[in-house]
Amino acid sequence: MQQPGPTAAAPDRAHRPDSSSLSPSAAAPQVTAPLTAQRRTSLLVTFVLGGLTALPALSMDMYLPALPEVTDALHSSAATAQLTLTACLLGMALGQLVVGPMSDKWGRRRPLLIGMVIYVIATAICAFAPSAGLLIGFRLLQGLAGSAGIVIARAVVRDLYDGIAMARFFSTLMLISGVAPIAAPVIGGQILRFTDWRGVFVVLTVIGALLTLVVWRFLRETLPAERRHDGGLGETLRTMRGLLADRAFTGYMLAGSFAFAALFAYVSGSSFVVQEIYGASPQTFSLLFGLNSIGLIGMGQLNGRVLVGRVSMDKVLAVALTLIALAATALLVLSAGVFGEVGLAPVAACLFVLMSSMGLAMPNTNASALMRTPHAAGSASALLGTSTFLLGAAASPLVGIAGETTAVPMAVVQLVCALAAMGCFMGLCRPWQRRTKQSLTVA
């Protein structure tokens, strides 16, 4: 009788008491069981990766309820206050171009720990920034350092998983990291009841320090020395050029990036829309933001637990992008006063649909792109993250370009981004061509 292959139960069989009675030849197939176990993350490491992917939400969403207060305290305009968000996002975008290739060359742990330490220091300095200019500068540094957590977490997932399993794990990460958008604005709103906006950065400093300690203690190296790249800048640029030459990879990258830009238009503009235009309190805004995040988490779990493996990822992505475009269209119609003056409820409903659809779009764009790049996960992750955050940073100031009295700019930015995402997906990925080729191959 043949020995069973290394299934999920194989590690348990390998550790049964009677396994020592097997002959060397009989026991040999079970030697692969620990190797399989090494490729799977423990529950604790899963939470560590979730914490790293939650870093952008922790850095930005906890700060959102404080934006109007920052505007008053530092005597700046709404657009300048939003630049403190843009600076952090821009830093996270550019930093990934450096950290991603570094992690392909030196492994995942070392660049991650260095980045996290700098993130903690920069965040602490933000708490004492005396002017808007200095705050913007240190937010940029905070983003540059914090990019290590984002890009390396995604590369670690690629090291450990492939195909459908990777798509499911990204959905699991969305469950964990999705808690941050729910908790962060609520925590930020509560902090503002006892202190000012500087206290938000104090809490972020503590969170960053704790996460750094957990990474140092529990996250093991996932990129073996034999799989690392020894080349310098030239090889890095050639690798990235080769990735961008892959039309489908670029299509998924841009589709996910434009979808995120629509999301970030909401992140950067919703605080002013909900509080200044519709008169809601910071606590009400925090609760609405948390409700939208619950929708995002729920759709992410629907994707990972029900849809992945049963429905094509391309079909799910097409539906998600369509829902985002429809929600943005409805929001624009309502904001423009086509149906007269409307209250907060219908606007909140449109934002809920838009945010929830991201739970279907983001895991599938990331998984579909990284499935094509097992040879350079760090560089591919860097390109994905950089494109995502650059487009998000570009969308942020456009939201406030018409002032604080209308939600039309936010809706326009969201609709343009949604249509661009659909165009990139259909024009570059061309999923119908791959289905045709697969059908011909099977025939």
Side-chain angles (χ1 to χ4, degrees), residues 254-294:
L254 291 177
S257 299
F258 276 113
F260 180 84
L263 182 150
F264 197 72
Y266 159 76
V267 170
S268 61
S270 60
S271 175
F272 290 100
V273 169
V274 173
Q275 296 182 70
E276 301 296 330
I277 298 177
Y278 291 98
S281 66
Q283 289 71 37
T284 300
F285 164 74
S286 299
L287 292 176
L288 288 176
F289 198 95
L291 180 63
N292 292 338
S293 299
I294 291 174

Side-chain angles (χ1 to χ4, degrees), residues 32-385:
T32 60
L35 297 178
T36 301
Q38 290 176 6
R39 287 178 54 85
R40 299 189 179 278
T41 55
S42 67
L43 181 61
L44 179 58
V45 173
T46 303
F47 276 101
V48 173
L49 295 179
L52 293 174
T53 57
L55 203 59
L58 293 174
S59 301
M60 292 181 287
D61 296 349
M62 189 182 296
Y63 175 67
L64 287 178
L67 275 177
E69 182 178 323
V70 171
T71 301
D72 296 335
L74 299 181
H75 308 289
S76 63
S77 65
T80 301
Q82 287 174 336
L83 281 177
T84 63
L85 290 175
T86 303
C88 183
L89 197 63
L90 184 63
M92 289 181 179
L94 298 178
Q96 293 183 64
L97 287 176
V98 178
V99 177
M102 284 173 58
S103 73
D104 281 340
K105 183 177 181 179
W106 294 323
R108 312 302 186 200
R109 270 181 58 88
R110 193 192 313 174
L112 176 59
L113 287 171
I114 293 173
M116 291 299 297
V117 169
I118 297 175
Y119 171 87
V120 171
I121 295 173
T123 306
I125 295 175
C126 285
F128 301 97
S131 66
L134 287 176
L135 179 60
I136 291 172
F138 285 115
R139 287 282 278 173
L140 177 65
L141 179 60
Q142 181 192 40
L144 288 168
S147 66
I150 310 166
V151 67
I152 292 179
R154 198 160 41 226
V156 167
V157 174
R158 186 63 186 92
D159 292 340
L160 298 169
Y161 292 93
D162 195 8
I164 291 174
M166 181 167 54
R168 285 177 175 158
F169 194 83
F170 274 125
S171 294
T172 300
L173 285 187
M174 184 161 289
L175 171 63
I176 300 169
S177 62
V179 173
I182 296 174
V186 176
I187 294 173
Q190 296 304 313
I191 290 173
L192 293 178
R193 298 182 64 177
F194 301 99
T195 183
D196 61 7
W197 61 273
R198 299 181 188 276
V200 174
F201 285 107
V202 172
V203 174
L204 282 173
T205 301
V206 174
I207 293 174
L210 291 176
L211 184 57
T212 303
L213 290 175
V214 172
V215 167
W216 174 76
R217 176 65 179 83
F218 295 106
L219 187 62
R220 299 173 60 184
E221 182 59 62
T222 60
L223 186 67
E226 61 271 16
R227 289 174 51 197
R228 298 176 188 177
H229 296 181
D230 296 327
L233 178 61
E235 181 178 342
T236 296
L237 294 177
R238 285 191 296 271
T239 299
M240 290 188 172
R241 185 169 62 247
L243 292 172
L244 293 174
D246 183 342
R247 178 171 46 79
F249 171 84
T250 302
Y252 288 119
M253 178 187 73
L254 291 177
S257 299
F258 276 113
F260 180 84
L263 182 150
F264 197 72
Y266 159 76
V267 170
S268 61
S270 60
S271 175
F272 290 100
V273 169
V274 173
Q275 296 182 70
E276 301 296 330
I277 298 177
Y278 291 98
S281 66
Q283 289 71 37
T284 300
F285 164 74
S286 299
L287 292 176
L288 288 176
F289 198 95
L291 180 63
N292 292 338
S293 299
I294 291 174
L296 185 148
I297 292 173
M299 295 301 282
Q301 294 314 292
L302 174 67
N303 179 72
R305 297 178 181 273
V306 178
L307 300 179
V308 171
R310 295 182 176 88
V311 182
S312 164
M313 285 191 283
D314 284 334
K315 289 182 179 179
V316 176
L317 180 55
V319 171
L321 295 178
T322 301
L323 288 174
I324 293 170
L326 291 175
T329 301
L331 182 61
L332 178 58
V333 169
L334 293 173
S335 302
V338 174
F339 298 108
E341 186 174 348
V342 297
L344 179 60
V347 171
C350 293
L351 294 174
F352 177 81
V353 173
L354 188 145
M355 279 283 285
S356 298
S357 301
M358 296 294 173
L360 299 176
M362 302 310 294
N364 289 311
T365 53
N366 283 333
S368 296
L370 289 173
M371 280 171 60
R372 306 180 66 86
T373 61
H375 57 289
S379 296
S381 178
L383 287 174
L384 288 171

Side-chain angles (χ1 to χ4, degrees), residues 20-38:
S20 59
S21 63
L22 296 175
S23 64
S25 59
Q30 295 189 15
V31 174
T32 60
L35 297 178
T36 301
Q38 290 176 6

